[in-house]
Amino acid sequence: MIPVQLILKNFLSYRDATLDFGGLHTACICGSNGAGKSSLLEAITWAIWGESRATVEDDVIYSGAKEVRVDFTFYNNLQKYRVIRTRVRGATSVLEFQIETPAGFRPLTGKGMRATQDVILQHIKLDYETFINSAYLRQGRADEFMLKRPTERKEILAELLKLNQYDLLAEKAKDNSKQYKGRAEELERSLDNIKSQLQQREATTAEKAELEVQLNHLQQQQAADNIQLQSLKVIQSQRQNLEEKLSFVRQQYQNLSEDCDRLDQDKLAVKSQLAALESILHQSDQIQAGYSQFQILQSQEEVFAIKFEQHTRAITLKQQQQQQLDKQIQSIERKIQAAEAELNNLEKEQQEIKPILKKSGEIETALSQLSAAREHLNSLENLQIQVKPLLEQRANLQTELERIHSRLLASLEQLQVTENQIESKIRKQSQLQQDVIEVDLQIEELEKKRVYLQRVQDKGHERRHFIERLQAHQKDYEKLLRDLEQKIQLLQNPNALCPLCEHPLDENHWHRVIQKTQIEYEDTQGQFWVLREQMAVSDREIQVLRQEYREISQQVANYDALREKKGKLAAQLQASAELQTQLKQVLTEKEKLHRVLEGDYAPDKQAEIQELDEYIKQLNYNEQDHALARSVVENLRWAEIKQVQIKDAKKKQAQIAARKPELQAMIEELKAQIASEQTNSEIARGILALETQITEIAYSSEQHSNIRKGVKEFQSWQLPYQQFLSAQQEYPQLQKRLEDLTNAYNSRTADKQKLAIEMDSIVEQLKASENPVEQIHDLEQKIAMFRREMDEKIAYLGRLEQQVHQLELLQNQYEQEQEQLQDCKQQQRVYQELAQAFGKNGIQALMIENLLPQLEAETNLLLARLSANQLHVQFVTQKAGRSGKSTRKNAKLIDTLDILIADARGTRAYETYSGGEAFRINFAIRLALAKLLAQRAGAALQLLIIDEGFGTQDTEGCDRLIAAINAIAADFACILTVTHIPHLKEAFQARIEVNKNQQGSHLSLSI
């Protein structure tokens, strides 16, 4: 990952900041403590992974702001990406991920923030934990790995290598092994249960055959009873038909009797109706005379009803028009009242304007004074415009002059440091020759030990190859033993087949085969235990060789360092002649710098400052005069306000003078309009016409009332007249109805006589036949008893057949579960071995063992650059236990992860080294670990960030650390170093300077 651009808005201590990484290879982020240097790097981790040092997510938002936004653009695998993460205080974050295309950035954002985060990880192949433990050497965590106990160091390595996935696999393998073991035990219990049930199979089959014979006998007897029952039911059916016919005839006879009674009653009712109609027809003359008088009065009442309607309509219309005229007059009166009110208001405003117009002379005088004060203020402001850039230019020149002075002082300090170093090297020259002789003796002794170490290594390889051959034979023996165990288990079955030809075995052959198999099993097992003993002996030999190899390796570990030390000592002896010349040059340069600082440095700048001071003095600008002029102008501004009021008053007076005559004329006109509306308007003429129409109608309510009373009096003849008309129509019909009823009554009486004769005949037939109901009932009970007995036996037979079928299924299940049992035992053994392989002492330990030599070599390579080959690190993974009974040769080895650190005085504890030395060790281990982690993650380590790495270093240590950074610069595309030490930023050509004030942190880039 190579950074391109970082844009911050309201992130931690930054309000708005943009950092362009273009052209930065090795850069320094410098500034005072708390200025916000680390916040720049925290912004990168928060944008990509959403992680920062803030415990609460809203803490990353600038104090007082509502929203934070970080926009980070970077290269990864030659492809340009862009990540934008925003968050509103109290709400959730929003994450966007984009990739650059020829048409611009194209979004790769997923459906949610988690999906987008997964897409980012897929592209950069680096999660947060790997990044902070590889590319980002964070503030305050450089010594975290060294301060842990040996067991905790292994846990850290396992966590960094993401070996916890093997723990999950081991737990899963253990769970699967337990499941298969439980399944095997369950299958064994099931097989025992099935075996006991299969022993009942023969008894169930015999009972089923006997039950089938009994059912056949019952079925034959039931068939004979059914034939006898059918013959009796035929006789019963014939008797039932006669009874039903007798019941039908009786019902018909009863119906005819009821019809005769009903017809007799209908005849009486018709005769009564005929008598009533005859009485109405006899009064026909009187009824017709009364009804004629009723019709005459009703026609007169209709005429008066029409007049009443016309009279009422004219009265209503007259009232409506009168109300409309009243409304128009009221509207005109309201307009008159509004005009009179407006006229009164104009007179009041005219009285209010008069005092304002009297002050016009006083205001004219104040306005002339205000104009003069403004002219004076404009002249002072023109002077200020000329003076302000001169003051700013002088401040810039003064700052640049101070910066030049600081650079001269820093150069002088650097020359003093170089002088001290050269003098120290000259003092040490006498000791160099003695050191060279001692190193030669040590190298000669270590070369002898290296030869013996190679012999021990060759012997160890020979023993390891022998163990590998034994392990291959062990697997063959284990497979053979499993096959023999399976063969013996199969032979335990009484009906077992021959394992070779799969033919049945008699008792003699069965004993011979099982005896031969057991002998073969015992011989194989004996060879297997001999093989295991050979492996144990070889393993102990390898442990002894390994311990001896470690001891000798520790002794010869300093061989390369001694050879390098010898070369450096020789080079130092050769360079000793040049030290005096270098010292003279340094002293000469120091003297020059002292003269420059004591005299005038940067004379052009100082002369320019003096010229600016003289020119500012000539302009004669005074800030107090300027402020006084401003206050005079402000005090006289009331005159402008009063002037506007006078203008408004004059304008208002003219408007009032024009409006008053208009209002007075309007009032007179409205009063005349009211008089006209009351006499000459269209509505007044309409009201007069309606009054004439009412007179012409001539409606009399008294006459109308008398006619209504006459109508009510003769209205009673209307019903008798309707009855008379109805009687004329119904009388012939009732006479025809009486004749029809008499004929129907005579016909039904004849039918009753015929049905009585038929009923007597059916009764005689029933008396002649017998009733078989009791015989049928007895026979049906007997058949039902046989049927219940057969149903019970059939149900029992079904249960027996189900048992036989179930036993057959159990036999198949027994065979299947035997196969499943063998498979479960095999799977259990496999998962037990996998659990051991995935455990702490399996693959995980092997991966750490394979990683440590690479880590050690890379660490020592970096540490040699940082310490001038003075420091060396060795990782030890096993050591002898502390048991008091064990000797040096038979001591038990235990797993550990100790870190041995050696310098010119020998091997010492980590805590005894100085802060500078400790940081160099930590830096070398962290950087080596970073490279290995990046390689394992599949990502190239192109970015390196060192946060506060110089605080514990002395001058020489800082120089070496800077030299080491420059030496490894070719391995990285971008290296960012964070420091708060001012004089060290001069060692970096590219600098990102961070400053903080009340408005937040600010940055500036200098290349």
Side-chain angles (χ1 to χ4, degrees), residues 983-994:
H983 69 271
L984 285 177
K985 66 182 181 181
E986 301 296 336
F988 293 89
Q989 184 177 2
R991 295 188 299 274
I992 302 170
E993 297 186 7
V994 180

PDB file of all heavy atoms in Angstrom, residues 983-994:
ATOM      1  N   HIS A 983      16.077  19.154  16.074  1.00  0.00           N
ATOM      2  CA  HIS A 983      17.280  19.162  15.235  1.00  0.00           C
ATOM      3  C   HIS A 983      17.360  17.929  14.335  1.00  0.00           C
ATOM      4  O   HIS A 983      18.157  17.906  13.394  1.00  0.00           O
ATOM      5  CB  HIS A 983      18.543  19.275  16.112  1.00  0.00           C
ATOM      6  CG  HIS A 983      18.816  18.047  16.933  1.00  0.00           C
ATOM      7  ND1 HIS A 983      18.283  17.877  18.202  1.00  0.00           N
ATOM      8  CD2 HIS A 983      19.556  16.936  16.664  1.00  0.00           C
ATOM      9  CE1 HIS A 983      18.701  16.713  18.672  1.00  0.00           C
ATOM     10  NE2 HIS A 983      19.460  16.123  17.766  1.00  0.00           N
ATOM     11  N   LEU A 984      16.540  16.896  14.596  1.00  0.00           N
ATOM     12  CA  LEU A 984      16.608  15.695  13.766  1.00  0.00           C
ATOM     13  C   LEU A 984      15.865  15.860  12.440  1.00  0.00           C
ATOM     14  O   LEU A 984      16.107  15.110  11.498  1.00  0.00           O
ATOM     15  CB  LEU A 984      16.025  14.491  14.522  1.00  0.00           C
ATOM     16  CG  LEU A 984      16.917  13.924  15.615  1.00  0.00           C
ATOM     17  CD1 LEU A 984      16.209  12.799  16.334  1.00  0.00           C
ATOM     18  CD2 LEU A 984      18.218  13.403  15.029  1.00  0.00           C
ATOM     19  N   LYS A 985      14.949  16.817  12.382  1.00  0.00           N
ATOM     20  CA  LYS A 985      14.212  16.968  11.124  1.00  0.00           C
ATOM     21  C   LYS A 985      15.133  17.442   9.993  1.00  0.00           C
ATOM     22  O   LYS A 985      14.814  17.250   8.822  1.00  0.00           O
ATOM     23  CB  LYS A 985      13.056  17.946  11.316  1.00  0.00           C
ATOM     24  CG  LYS A 985      13.476  19.376  11.604  1.00  0.00           C
ATOM     25  CD  LYS A 985      12.250  20.257  11.815  1.00  0.00           C
ATOM     26  CE  LYS A 985      12.667  21.705  12.071  1.00  0.00           C
ATOM     27  NZ  LYS A 985      11.500  22.575  12.314  1.00  0.00           N
ATOM     28  N   GLU A 986      16.292  18.039  10.352  1.00  0.00           N
ATOM     29  CA  GLU A 986      17.226  18.481   9.322  1.00  0.00           C
ATOM     30  C   GLU A 986      17.852  17.287   8.594  1.00  0.00           C
ATOM     31  O   GLU A 986      18.372  17.437   7.492  1.00  0.00           O
ATOM     32  CB  GLU A 986      18.329  19.362   9.938  1.00  0.00           C
ATOM     33  CG  GLU A 986      17.812  20.599  10.650  1.00  0.00           C
ATOM     34  CD  GLU A 986      17.130  21.554   9.706  1.00  0.00           C
ATOM     35  OE1 GLU A 986      17.447  21.511   8.497  1.00  0.00           O
ATOM     36  OE2 GLU A 986      16.280  22.341  10.164  1.00  0.00           O
ATOM     37  N   ALA A 987      17.809  16.092   9.234  1.00  0.00           N
ATOM     38  CA  ALA A 987      18.373  14.902   8.597  1.00  0.00           C
ATOM     39  C   ALA A 987      17.499  14.389   7.469  1.00  0.00           C
ATOM     40  O   ALA A 987      17.932  13.539   6.686  1.00  0.00           O
ATOM     41  CB  ALA A 987      18.584  13.802   9.643  1.00  0.00           C
ATOM     42  N   PHE A 988      16.278  14.881   7.370  1.00  0.00           N
ATOM     43  CA  PHE A 988      15.355  14.423   6.339  1.00  0.00           C
ATOM     44  C   PHE A 988      15.124  15.559   5.356  1.00  0.00           C
ATOM     45  O   PHE A 988      14.806  16.695   5.746  1.00  0.00           O
ATOM     46  CB  PHE A 988      14.016  14.003   6.953  1.00  0.00           C
ATOM     47  CG  PHE A 988      14.111  12.784   7.819  1.00  0.00           C
ATOM     48  CD1 PHE A 988      14.395  12.900   9.171  1.00  0.00           C
ATOM     49  CD2 PHE A 988      13.923  11.514   7.288  1.00  0.00           C
ATOM     50  CE1 PHE A 988      14.479  11.787   9.975  1.00  0.00           C
ATOM     51  CE2 PHE A 988      13.997  10.401   8.086  1.00  0.00           C
ATOM     52  CZ  PHE A 988      14.288  10.522   9.425  1.00  0.00           C
ATOM     53  N   GLN A 989      15.274  15.253   4.084  1.00  0.00           N
ATOM     54  CA  GLN A 989      15.057  16.271   3.067  1.00  0.00           C
ATOM     55  C   GLN A 989      13.576  16.628   2.962  1.00  0.00           C
ATOM     56  O   GLN A 989      13.208  17.782   2.802  1.00  0.00           O
ATOM     57  CB  GLN A 989      15.577  15.778   1.710  1.00  0.00           C
ATOM     58  CG  GLN A 989      15.466  16.832   0.607  1.00  0.00           C
ATOM     59  CD  GLN A 989      16.048  16.332  -0.696  1.00  0.00           C
ATOM     60  OE1 GLN A 989      16.499  15.203  -0.778  1.00  0.00           O
ATOM     61  NE2 GLN A 989      16.027  17.174  -1.727  1.00  0.00           N
ATOM     62  N   ALA A 990      12.709  15.593   3.048  1.00  0.00           N
ATOM     63  CA  ALA A 990      11.256  15.818   2.985  1.00  0.00           C
ATOM     64  C   ALA A 990      10.707  15.853   4.406  1.00  0.00           C
ATOM     65  O   ALA A 990      10.943  14.937   5.192  1.00  0.00           O
ATOM     66  CB  ALA A 990      10.580  14.722   2.177  1.00  0.00           C
ATOM     67  N   ARG A 991       9.962  16.919   4.737  1.00  0.00           N
ATOM     68  CA  ARG A 991       9.437  17.067   6.097  1.00  0.00           C
ATOM     69  C   ARG A 991       7.959  17.474   6.035  1.00  0.00           C
ATOM     70  O   ARG A 991       7.559  18.288   5.194  1.00  0.00           O
ATOM     71  CB  ARG A 991      10.220  18.125   6.883  1.00  0.00           C
ATOM     72  CG  ARG A 991      11.667  17.763   7.130  1.00  0.00           C
ATOM     73  CD  ARG A 991      12.324  18.766   8.073  1.00  0.00           C
ATOM     74  NE  ARG A 991      12.343  20.107   7.558  1.00  0.00           N
ATOM     75  CZ  ARG A 991      13.295  20.586   6.747  1.00  0.00           C
ATOM     76  NH1 ARG A 991      14.293  19.799   6.375  1.00  0.00           N
ATOM     77  NH2 ARG A 991      13.240  21.829   6.310  1.00  0.00           N
ATOM     78  N   ILE A 992       7.187  16.856   6.938  1.00  0.00           N
ATOM     79  CA  ILE A 992       5.780  17.237   7.132  1.00  0.00           C
ATOM     80  C   ILE A 992       5.698  17.855   8.531  1.00  0.00           C
ATOM     81  O   ILE A 992       5.744  17.141   9.540  1.00  0.00           O
ATOM     82  CB  ILE A 992       4.849  16.025   7.009  1.00  0.00           C
ATOM     83  CG1 ILE A 992       5.020  15.355   5.653  1.00  0.00           C
ATOM     84  CG2 ILE A 992       3.400  16.436   7.222  1.00  0.00           C
ATOM     85  CD1 ILE A 992       4.323  14.015   5.551  1.00  0.00           C
ATOM     86  N   GLU A 993       5.622  19.188   8.601  1.00  0.00           N
ATOM     87  CA  GLU A 993       5.651  19.880   9.881  1.00  0.00           C
ATOM     88  C   GLU A 993       4.217  20.091  10.372  1.00  0.00           C
ATOM     89  O   GLU A 993       3.352  20.570   9.634  1.00  0.00           O
ATOM     90  CB  GLU A 993       6.371  21.223   9.737  1.00  0.00           C
ATOM     91  CG  GLU A 993       7.836  21.077   9.327  1.00  0.00           C
ATOM     92  CD  GLU A 993       8.562  22.398   9.321  1.00  0.00           C
ATOM     93  OE1 GLU A 993       7.963  23.392   9.767  1.00  0.00           O
ATOM     94  OE2 GLU A 993       9.726  22.439   8.877  1.00  0.00           O
ATOM     95  N   VAL A 994       3.983  19.721  11.645  1.00  0.00           N
ATOM     96  CA  VAL A 994       2.651  19.798  12.244  1.00  0.00           C
ATOM     97  C   VAL A 994       2.693  20.813  13.379  1.00  0.00           C
ATOM     98  O   VAL A 994       3.548  20.727  14.274  1.00  0.00           O
ATOM     99  CB  VAL A 994       2.203  18.412  12.773  1.00  0.00           C
ATOM    100  CG1 VAL A 994       0.812  18.524  13.386  1.00  0.00           C
ATOM    101  CG2 VAL A 994       2.210  17.392  11.650  1.00  0.00           C
TER     102      VAL A 994
END
